[in-house]
Amino acid sequence: MSEFVTFFWVIVAGATVGFVFDFYRSFRHWQGWGRVLTFIGDVLFSLVALFILFRFFERANALAFRFYIIWGSLLGLFLYLRILSRFSVRCFFGLYRVMKYLADLIYRGIKIPIRGLIFIMRPPYATLHWFSLLLYRIGEFILVEPISRMKRRVKDWWKHLLPPNING
């Protein structure tokens, strides 16, 4: 491979890392991540950047590590950040706004049938709720009162069997 093609791939590698960095930076800003998520995201970005550089360096010169690879990558990153970064960040934020709009649209589209189902199910649910409370009160009257009376009788009977407690 000629030196020009190799240097071109190295510059493209730096520009690609810059593009991914702008995507990550804009996404992190859009989501408003805290310190922990930012740290995890930085580690993941570093791994992705290493993978990108590895793939481009492999294509450029079969991973023969030369000094011009570092300079070429930095030059590609610098050129990208100076020329295309502002435009791509604006595009990313526009993409995020479109994604948010579509997500809201889908959310509203799902919410309409659910609201209709809630409206339709309100009377049967209210009837079942009333009926369950009625059964609970009937069960309480039939079971709880006799059980509490029997418990009181057993307690009184047990006290009657024991001799009085006289301390003194």
Side-chain angles (χ1 to χ4, degrees), residues 131-165:
F131 189 66
S132 66
L133 281 176
L134 177 67
L135 289 177
Y136 177 77
R137 295 296 181 199
I138 290 172
E140 189 177 43
F141 180 74
I142 292 173
L143 294 175
V144 173
E145 289 296 324
I147 288 174
S148 62
R149 270 186 267 139
M150 186 186 313
K151 185 177 170 183
R152 222 174 307 129
R153 283 188 201 154
V154 168
K155 202 174 188 181
D156 290 342
W157 176 75
W158 187 256
K159 283 183 180 178
H160 180 65
L161 287 177
L162 295 175
N165 188 8

Side-chain angles (χ1 to χ4, degrees), residues 96-155:
Y96 300 147
R97 281 193 295 275
V98 168
M99 287 173 30
K100 183 173 177 3
Y101 175 75
L102 290 176
D104 288 344
L105 197 64
I106 291 170
Y107 175 72
R108 279 188 263 142
I110 291 173
K111 202 163 95 172
I112 290 170
I114 291 175
R115 280 187 175 174
L117 185 64
I118 289 171
F119 182 73
I120 291 170
M121 291 304 295
R122 189 172 292 154
Y125 176 74
T127 305
L128 286 174
H129 184 70
W130 177 82
F131 189 66
S132 66
L133 281 176
L134 177 67
L135 289 177
Y136 177 77
R137 295 296 181 199
I138 290 172
E140 189 177 43
F141 180 74
I142 292 173
L143 294 175
V144 173
E145 289 296 324
I147 288 174
S148 62
R149 270 186 267 139
M150 186 186 313
K151 185 177 170 183
R152 222 174 307 129
R153 283 188 201 154
V154 168
K155 202 174 188 181

Side-chain angles (χ1 to χ4, degrees), residues 80-106:
Y80 171 80
L81 290 176
R82 280 295 194 197
I83 297 170
L84 298 174
S85 180
R86 280 183 243 131
F87 174 72
S88 64
V89 167
R90 284 187 202 136
C91 288
F92 286 137
F93 279 118
L95 177 70
Y96 300 147
R97 281 193 295 275
V98 168
M99 287 173 30
K100 183 173 177 3
Y101 175 75
L102 290 176
D104 288 344
L105 197 64
I106 291 170

Side-chain angles (χ1 to χ4, degrees), residues 1 5-20 48-65 68-70 72-73 76:
M1 213 180 266
V5 173
T6 302
F7 196 66
F8 171 76
W9 283 114
V10 170
I11 290 175
V12 170
T16 305
V17 169
F19 183 76
V20 171
V48 168
L50 281 174
F51 179 75
I52 290 170
L53 291 174
F54 174 79
R55 296 299 291 177
F56 275 103
F57 293 166
E58 182 181 40
R59 183 179 182 107
N61 61 355
L63 292 179
F65 191 74
Y68 68 87
I69 287 178
I70 296 171
S73 298

